[in-house]
């Protein structure tokens, strides 16, 4: 199967203190103790519904799985908010500005750091134009329906992130 992931995209590498300590390409093995930055942006409409997306079947990780919002790897020179803003624009063609204050979590994994953002905006499914290389389909769901779908998808932490984001917006 051919992947749609860009294996030559360039990333900044970070240490645990979030200092940039080098660069790498997606295809590279990262030096021990370094991480690349990934972002996820959960989008709610003004009524408290959440936008979920099904990943393209051609993605390297979790092909075809349902997940929250938009996200991906930060490119060289991007911080978390810039990467989240770009990913929402690329994947869904939505012009949403993601401020630093929208970040509500940062997790460290073996080779990446994931920053989570939440934004509430005027969103309609008719305004979403999916990047088919990244996204198979999108849905705008109530919190209860999103919890059910994400639980069935089985990607670790998605429901907990949804609940945390909803609580921050006073939606839970």
């Amino acid at each position: 199967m051919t992947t749609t992931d860009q294996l030559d995209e360039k990333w900044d590498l970070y240490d645990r203190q979030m200092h940039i300590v080098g660069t790498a390409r997606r295809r590279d093995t990262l030096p021990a103790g370094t991480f690349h930055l990934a972002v996820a942006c959960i989008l709610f409409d003004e009524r408290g519904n959440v936008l979920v997306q099904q990943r393209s079947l051609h993605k390297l990780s979790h092909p075809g799985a349902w997940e929250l919002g938009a996200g991906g790897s930060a490119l060289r020179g991007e911080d978390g908010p810039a990467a989240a803003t770009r990913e929402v624009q690329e994947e869904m063609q939505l012009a949403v500005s993601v401020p630093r204050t929208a970040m509500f979590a940062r997790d460290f994994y073996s080779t990446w750091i994931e920053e989570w953002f939440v934004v509430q905006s005027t969103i309609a499914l008719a305004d979403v134009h999916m990047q088919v290389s990244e996204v198979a389909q999108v849905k705008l769901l109530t919190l209860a329906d999103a919890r059910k779908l994400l639980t069935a998808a089985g990607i670790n932490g998605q429901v907990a992130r949804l609940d945390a984001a909803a609580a921050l917006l006073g939606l839970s």
Side-chain angles (χ1 to χ4, degrees):
M1 177 171 71
T2 302
T3 180
T4 58
D5 294 284
Q6 300 299 314
L7 299 179
D8 283 324
E9 71 184 12
K10 292 183 181 174
W11 297 336
D12 289 321
L13 296 181
Y14 293 82
D15 62 16
R16 284 198 169 271
Q17 290 72 44
M18 295 302 294
H19 299 120
I20 296 174
V21 295
T23 60
R25 293 175 305 161
R26 177 184 288 267
R27 71 173 65 248
D28 296 339
T29 300
L30 304 186
T34 65
F35 308 87
H36 79 274
L37 179 62
V39 297
C41 186
I42 303 172
L43 300 169
F44 286 90
D45 71 7
E46 66 279 358
R47 294 179 312 277
N49 296 311
V50 63
L51 191 66
V52 296
Q53 67 171 325
Q54 183 183 33
R55 294 171 63 84
S56 162
L57 296 175
H58 302 287
K59 296 296 292 172
L60 285 175
S61 62
H62 306 292
W66 284 95
E67 66 181 0
L68 289 169
S73 295
L75 301 178
R76 186 173 181 208
E78 286 182 324
D79 63 3
T85 298
R86 177 185 51 76
E87 288 288 350
V88 170
Q89 175 64 36
E90 282 182 2
E91 292 181 9
M92 300 188 198
Q93 299 300 302
L94 294 173
V96 174
S97 179
V98 181
R100 171 60 59 196
T101 56
M103 188 177 88
F104 69 95
R106 179 184 290 145
D107 300 313
F108 284 82
Y109 296 93
S110 60
T111 60
W112 76 96
I113 303 160
E114 189 165 44
E115 291 185 346
W116 285 83
F117 298 88
V118 61
V119 173
Q120 190 169 21
S121 184
T122 303
I123 301 168
L125 281 180
D127 298 331
V128 176
H129 302 285
M130 299 172 296
Q131 179 185 19
V132 295
S133 63
E134 299 278 334
V135 181
Q137 60 179 313
V138 296
K139 294 182 179 185
L140 198 54
L141 300 175
T142 65
L143 284 172
D145 288 343
R147 284 184 190 107
K148 288 177 194 171
L149 181 67
L150 295 169
T151 298
I155 298 177
N156 291 341
Q158 294 279 301
V159 174
R161 289 295 181 221
L162 174 62
D163 290 341
L168 285 172
L169 297 176
L171 301 172
S172 53

